[in-house]
Amino acid sequence: MISALDTVAPQDRRELLESLLLKRHRQAFPTLASKAFFNFGAQGLLPRPALAALLSYHDEIERAAPLSLEGVAAMLLTLRRSRAALAVELGAREENLALVENASTGCNIALWGIDWQPGDHLVVSDREYPGVREAAAAVARRFGLTVTPWRIEGASDRQLAGLEACLTPRTRAVLVSHVPWDTGEVLPLAEISALCQRPNGSRILLLVDGAQSAGVLPLDLPALGVDVYAFPGHKWWCGPEGTGGLYVGPAALAELSPVFVGSRGLTFSREGVVTGFRADAARFEVGTSSPALCSALAAAVAVHGEWGTSAARLERIHKLVLRLWEGLGALGPRRVLRLQPLPPQAGLVFFRPHGIDPQALVLALEARNLVVRSMPHADCVRASVHYFNQESEVDELLAALEALCPQSREQRKEREPRLSNG
Amino acid sequence: MISALDTVAPQDRRELLESLLLKRHRQAFPTLASKAFFNFGAQGLLPRPALAALLSYHDEIERAAPLSLEGVAAMLLTLRRSRAALAVELGAREENLALVENASTGCNIALWGIDWQPGDHLVVSDREYPGVREAAAAVARRFGLTVTPWRIEGASDRQLAGLEACLTPRTRAVLVSHVPWDTGEVLPLAEISALCQRPNGSRILLLVDGAQSAGVLPLDLPALGVDVYAFPGHKWWCGPEGTGGLYVGPAALAELSPVFVGSRGLTFSREGVVTGFRADAARFEVGTSSPALCSALAAAVAVHGEWGTSAARLERIHKLVLRLWEGLGALGPRRVLRLQPLPPQAGLVFFRPHGIDPQALVLALEARNLVVRSMPHADCVRASVHYFNQESEVDELLAALEALCPQSREQRKEREPRLSNG
């Protein structure tokens, strides 16, 4: 068979084919018809198959009648499929996964679920998202805990030494992001988990916010040794708002009590009498949630799987992120200050524009159909790069930055030791 | 203008017209094309305009790009409109309404949000939904509370005397349903609220589960004097699963602390620094939820409003419920035991079939496209009747019961004093 591709020189064929496939894959995301989108760390783009799954669920339920025998079967099958699809992505068993409305709720379930005693100790990294940080503070107030901020700095050895110095005999949990939302580095969870294992066999619970890692990094949570991993569905995984999950590993499942309680997390006898909590992580689920949204999330995850493995997708993220990071370097520190000294390890790239307020720059970029976000507390801009961004979009972003950021006369040093903590 | 209606005798015209309008109104609910549906107390039917609103939201957001400036505006406007639409239905101000995933979550927010001290006292009615009852039990365990079950029996005077006998100087909250899920009576909230007001001016918080009242009864929560009112969106209001609200009146807003905490309930400075909790009830909201679902709920509420006022809808519910209740009476206690001694006050009708297990009866009815639910703990069947049910559907249900419930030879007394408590 002779195709149009055969007219292309063999050495260019592979690249052309890849770009054609990507172009076609991108058609699943309506937004991309008119925008270059770099804000997946805030919220992803809902692909058409996810919306189709959502509609299909409602159609099926309304045809069967909600909570009729047929309706219940359709609902339970949808929930089971969604849970299974997510569990695979985490390397986890379904029984260790609770479906929750968002990652914050997941973090709260873990934080409140510990049987805290006054004077117990909690370590919270200094790179946590404000909402999660405040959740920890609320728990600390309610139960009279002491809290130590773990200052994450330097390379992983220094990070781990920093954590070790925070731990006390009363430490019961460590709260940290897999990929901090305002530095984008990948923290060494397996090594952190090892520090949480006490010589006497007991464990400090390792609670992880996966907001910027789920849907970006290949995950094997049991291998990483995390106890709890909360993640959103609507960011890198491109599911709808109002979806997320909570991985609860065996140690945490044994230790955490359900806080908010509802019939979804309970077991009943045939006579309708409550017999206790479910044995699996669904014990942390509370009341009626939307199976339609879960199904949409599973469909979004499947869209990514159709492109390639999580390792292949991360490889592409790395390639694009490097292109952006190097391009920022080429623009020079008199135009934009690149805030990561080494190539970014996940999908987040940070830079501080010169001579223009970050928020003003974000608006100016939006006017050019380029979507990024500002980070007010760190006086910088964050670009979130996904595997289905295009090289040409990265180049567009760089060109727009060149046009919008006036070159300063003063020389600034390119590397700052860390993002400011606002 | 001469229409087909003019050929009908004037005395029949009004009734015919009403039934034609209802038939047309019912076309908004796809399920009704093939089923007689009496299960609104478990889950309602999603009307087409609600699904359209859901789609329209996603379309709008994906066109604008999520969390872009345009995207944020679309999202906030959607949330504001939804909140406003629900607030109107409650007779409440928007600032007293939090949007939550379901009623159980709302009850938990209130129960956990009290600054409980060991030995504090909580009164829980004996007619609460198991999930909510277990939530109260979990809070009691965590904070060392004493709990008194308030046995609701007799007419309202006796009910109120029963509550008064439960109150102690340490009582901090009373938890009760507006319409209990397994008796269907309407409890006298205003009088209950008056008992919660202490002579010294302090208040026992009145926490209400509105699962079987919201979308059924006309509501004016400030006039009823309730402090907290949690309600689902997906039952009588016919919104999608995963929607609900929490009314938090002024006294409760001053007394309750947010439990689960996330950025949605916080305020930030221009520099992105957390400055505290929001002043309004949105302080109890945690993380990203689905504005699409909220918008769908508001659209469902609007569908009902297009039929008539909440008072007019309740009048129709009363009429249909009376038809069913009287019909059950006519079938006689040797076929079905009617469990409400007086005509039901809201949308719930209970009966115990004779000679057939309630669950088996539910399945047999479903095979005839009649949807009700069984109540295993009370060994009975519950039919939920909404204003847009038809008289003919009630008659179908009665005819099916006549066919399916064998007439027993033994005489049973029609009235049992109360539903058993499983």
Side-chain angles (χ1 to χ4, degrees):
Chain A
M1 193 186 66
I2 302 285
S3 78
L5 262 182
D6 295 310
T7 63
V8 177
Q11 64 273 26
D12 299 335
R13 226 176 267 173
R14 195 191 147 78
E15 198 170 324
L16 177 62
L17 183 60
E18 279 300 302
S19 102
L20 283 172
L21 295 185
L22 183 63
K23 210 170 156 186
R24 194 140 190 97
H25 185 64
R26 285 164 52 91
Q27 289 177 5
F29 301 88
T31 310
L32 299 180
S34 61
K35 319 264 181 197
F37 189 80
F38 296 103
N39 203 14
F40 297 95
Q43 184 173 333
L45 300 174
L46 194 71
R48 295 182 208 277
L51 199 58
L54 197 158
L55 278 178
S56 156
Y57 174 79
H58 280 299
D59 184 50
E60 196 178 354
I61 289 299
E62 296 306 319
R63 247 185 308 123
L67 295 188
S68 66
L69 203 70
E70 284 303 313
V72 166
M75 178 184 76
L76 293 180
L77 185 61
T78 297
L79 287 173
R80 185 194 288 188
R81 284 174 175 164
S82 306
R83 201 186 301 269
L86 290 174
V88 165
E89 297 296 315
L90 308 173
R93 298 160 69 110
E94 293 162 43
E95 69 199 51
N96 293 109
L97 179 63
L99 301 172
V100 296
E101 198 180 18
N102 46 56
S104 296
T105 295
C107 290
N108 275 280
I109 288 171
L111 283 166
W112 285 87
I114 295 171
D115 178 31
W116 296 108
Q117 303 301 319
D120 277 351
H121 182 235
L122 169 67
V123 174
V124 181
S125 109
D126 68 343
R127 301 262 54 87
E128 297 313 297
Y129 186 69
V132 175
R133 210 166 52 208
E134 295 300 321
V139 170
R141 279 194 302 273
R142 187 68 185 87
F143 296 114
L145 313 182
T146 60
V147 179
T148 303
W150 163 26
R151 194 171 158 89
I152 295 178
E153 45 189 358
S156 62
D157 281 1
R158 198 161 146 216
Q159 292 169 353
L160 293 167
L163 171 58
E164 207 164 6
C166 291
L167 303 179
T168 79
R170 295 294 302 270
T171 308
R172 297 199 53 192
V174 170
L175 175 64
V176 67
S177 290
H178 195 174
V179 173
W181 74 300
D182 62 359
T183 65
E185 65 200 310
V186 178
L187 297 182
L189 288 190
E191 291 76 11
I192 293 170
S193 172
L195 289 180
C196 290
Q197 193 63 46
R198 293 193 192 276
N200 68 4
S202 74
R203 254 190 92 68
I204 298 167
L205 289 181
L206 174 55
L207 317 179
V208 179
D209 179 352
Q212 303 302 333
S213 47
V216 179
L217 307 179
L219 292 174
D220 183 339
L221 299 183
L224 286 176
V226 304
D227 295 295
V228 170
Y229 195 93
F231 60 92
H234 74 298
K235 292 183 188 278
W236 297 90
W237 265 332
C238 297
E241 298 153 298
T243 57
L246 181 69
Y247 165 83
V248 186
L253 201 50
E255 185 164 340
L256 298 178
S257 298
V259 187
F260 285 10
V261 168
S263 55
R264 216 170 128 200
L266 298 168
T267 51
F268 293 84
S269 71
R270 208 186 166 290
E271 292 73 36
V273 180
V274 174
T275 49
F277 288 112
R278 289 180 56 133
D280 56 16
R283 56 171 38 199
F284 300 105
E285 298 174 1
V286 178
T288 303
S289 70
S290 168
L293 294 184
C294 288
S295 175
L297 170 56
V301 168
V303 165
H304 306 316
E306 284 165 5
W307 176 259
T309 63
S310 55
R313 293 181 334 242
L314 180 60
E315 196 185 319
R316 222 187 113 70
I317 289 175
H318 280 153
K319 193 175 147 195
L320 291 161
V321 150
L322 187 65
R323 188 184 188 102
L324 177 56
W325 183 81
E326 286 180 342
L328 291 168
L331 287 178
R334 289 161 76 180
R335 239 186 252 281
V336 291
L337 189 64
R338 202 164 67 171
L339 293 174
Q340 287 145 305
L342 295 172
Q345 301 165 286
L348 301 176
V349 182
F350 300 88
F351 55 91
R352 185 170 301 152
H354 205 78
I356 180 170
D357 177 69
Q359 181 58 23
L361 176 61
V362 166
L363 298 185
L365 289 170
E366 187 172 329
R368 293 175 179 225
N369 290 319
L370 289 154
V371 183
V372 295
R373 71 158 283 180
S374 67
M375 305 284 279
H377 79 288
D379 190 31
C380 71
V381 171
R382 184 180 78 183
S384 307
V385 183
H386 219 327
Y387 75 91
F388 58 92
N389 278 116
Q390 291 180 131
E391 282 76 355
S392 60
E393 291 176 310
V394 170
D395 297 345
E396 269 176 64
L397 177 57
L398 288 165
L401 291 175
E402 182 160 21
L404 291 167
C405 304
Q407 194 157 9
S408 110
R409 275 184 224 149
E410 37 166 336
Q411 186 66 41
R412 298 168 81 195
K413 67 177 198 308
E414 177 173 6
R415 295 179 187 179
E416 295 207 339
R418 53 188 289 113
L419 291 171
S420 78
N421 202 0
Chain B
M1 192 184 65
I2 302 282
S3 78
L5 263 182
D6 294 311
T7 63
V8 177
Q11 64 273 27
D12 299 333
R13 224 177 269 172
R14 195 192 147 79
E15 198 170 326
L16 176 63
L17 183 60
E18 278 300 302
S19 99
L20 283 172
L21 295 185
L22 183 63
K23 208 168 157 188
R24 196 143 189 96
H25 185 63
R26 285 164 52 91
Q27 289 176 6
F29 302 87
T31 311
L32 299 180
S34 60
K35 320 264 181 195
F37 189 79
F38 296 102
N39 203 15
F40 298 95
Q43 184 172 333
L45 300 173
L46 194 71
R48 293 181 209 279
L51 198 58
L54 197 159
L55 278 178
S56 157
Y57 174 79
H58 280 298
D59 185 50
E60 196 177 355
I61 289 298
E62 297 305 319
R63 246 185 309 122
L67 295 187
S68 66
L69 204 70
E70 285 303 312
V72 166
M75 178 185 75
L76 294 179
L77 186 61
T78 297
L79 287 173
R80 185 196 288 188
R81 284 174 175 164
S82 305
R83 202 186 301 270
L86 290 174
V88 165
E89 297 296 315
L90 308 173
R93 298 162 68 109
E94 293 162 45
E95 70 200 48
N96 293 108
L97 179 63
L99 302 172
V100 295
E101 199 181 18
N102 46 56
S104 295
T105 296
C107 290
N108 275 280
I109 288 172
L111 283 166
W112 284 88
I114 294 171
D115 179 31
W116 295 108
Q117 302 302 319
D120 277 352
H121 182 235
L122 168 67
V123 174
V124 181
S125 108
D126 68 343
R127 302 260 56 86
E128 297 313 298
Y129 185 71
V132 175
R133 210 166 53 207
E134 294 300 321
V139 170
R141 278 195 302 274
R142 187 68 184 89
F143 297 115
L145 313 181
T146 60
V147 179
T148 303
W150 163 26
R151 195 172 156 91
I152 296 178
E153 45 189 358
S156 62
D157 281 1
R158 197 158 148 220
Q159 292 169 353
L160 293 167
L163 171 59
E164 207 164 6
C166 291
L167 303 179
T168 79
R170 295 294 301 271
T171 309
R172 297 199 53 192
V174 171
L175 174 64
V176 68
S177 290
H178 195 174
V179 173
W181 75 300
D182 63 0
T183 65
E185 65 201 311
V186 178
L187 297 182
L189 288 190
E191 291 75 11
I192 293 170
S193 173
L195 289 180
C196 290
Q197 193 63 47
R198 293 193 190 276
N200 69 3
S202 74
R203 255 191 92 68
I204 298 167
L205 290 181
L206 175 55
L207 318 179
V208 180
D209 179 353
Q212 303 301 333
S213 47
V216 179
L217 307 179
L219 292 173
D220 183 340
L221 298 183
L224 287 175
V226 303
D227 295 295
V228 170
Y229 196 93
F231 59 92
H234 74 298
K235 292 182 188 278
W236 296 91
W237 265 332
C238 298
E241 299 152 297
T243 58
L246 182 69
Y247 165 84
V248 186
L253 201 49
E255 185 165 339
L256 298 178
S257 298
V259 187
F260 284 9
V261 168
S263 55
R264 216 169 129 201
L266 298 168
T267 52
F268 292 83
S269 72
R270 207 187 166 287
E271 291 75 35
V273 180
V274 174
T275 50
F277 289 112
R278 290 180 55 134
D280 57 16
R283 56 170 41 200
F284 299 106
E285 298 174 1
V286 178
T288 303
S289 69
S290 168
L293 294 184
C294 287
S295 177
L297 171 57
V301 168
V303 165
H304 306 315
E306 285 165 6
W307 176 259
T309 63
S310 55
R313 295 184 328 246
L314 180 59
E315 197 185 319
R316 223 188 113 69
I317 289 174
H318 280 153
K319 194 174 146 197
L320 290 162
V321 150
L322 187 65
R323 187 184 189 101
L324 177 56
W325 184 81
E326 286 179 340
L328 291 169
L331 287 179
R334 289 162 75 181
R335 238 187 252 283
V336 291
L337 189 65
R338 200 163 68 172
L339 293 174
Q340 287 145 305
L342 296 171
Q345 301 166 287
L348 301 176
V349 182
F350 300 87
F351 53 91
R352 184 170 300 153
H354 205 78
I356 180 171
D357 176 70
Q359 181 58 22
L361 175 61
V362 166
L363 297 184
L365 289 169
E366 187 172 329
R368 294 176 179 225
N369 290 319
L370 289 155
V371 183
V372 295
R373 71 158 281 180
S374 67
M375 305 284 278
H377 79 287
D379 190 29
C380 71
V381 170
R382 183 179 80 182
S384 307
V385 182
H386 218 325
Y387 74 92
F388 58 92
N389 278 116
Q390 291 180 132
E391 282 76 356
S392 60
E393 292 175 309
V394 171
D395 298 344
E396 269 174 65
L397 177 57
L398 289 165
L401 290 176
E402 182 160 23
L404 291 167
C405 303
Q407 194 156 10
S408 111
R409 275 183 222 149
E410 39 168 334
Q411 185 68 39
R412 297 168 83 196
K413 67 181 200 303
E414 177 171 9
R415 293 179 188 182
E416 294 208 340
R418 51 187 290 113
L419 292 171
S420 79
N421 202 359

